[in-house]
Amino acid sequence: MTFKETLLTMAGSMITGLVLALFSVLHAPFNALTSLIGVAVVIMYFRKFDRKGHRITFVIFSILYYLMSVFMIAVYQYIPTQT
């Protein structure tokens, strides 16, 4: 895996993980938009990279970024504001 492929994998999986986290937080009309963005990113990535190793790495890092994003959103929502 070259440096460019690594950067594209990390960027694509970060966008996909963040969009999936937003999908689980947002309400009705907006979560449909985020799911379409996520599907578009995945389709573009899978068209560009054919090898199984790239795709497995993409999925694993997307799940990790999803979990981190959901945790950070939950912490942000539930920490009381300091007044």
Side-chain angles (χ1 to χ4, degrees):
M1 188 180 279
T2 65
F3 185 69
K4 182 180 176 182
E5 291 173 343
T6 304
L7 287 179
L8 287 174
T9 302
M10 297 308 284
S13 62
M14 187 181 301
I15 291 169
T16 305
L18 183 62
V19 168
L20 286 174
L22 290 175
F23 174 81
S24 64
V25 173
L26 295 177
H27 294 289
F30 300 110
N31 64 357
L33 181 65
T34 59
S35 68
L36 289 175
I37 293 170
V39 167
V41 171
V42 170
I43 288 173
M44 286 190 313
Y45 183 83
F46 277 24
R47 279 187 184 167
K48 187 165 183 81
F49 296 106
D50 300 1
R51 289 185 277 167
K52 203 182 296 186
H54 289 284
R55 293 179 177 187
I56 291 171
T57 305
F58 178 81
V59 170
I60 289 172
F61 278 109
S62 294
I63 292 169
L64 290 175
Y65 282 123
Y66 165 73
L67 293 173
M68 288 189 313
S69 299
V70 166
F71 177 74
M72 289 188 291
I73 290 170
V75 167
Y76 177 76
Q77 285 181 344
Y78 294 111
I79 287 182
T81 58
Q82 306 238 348
T83 57

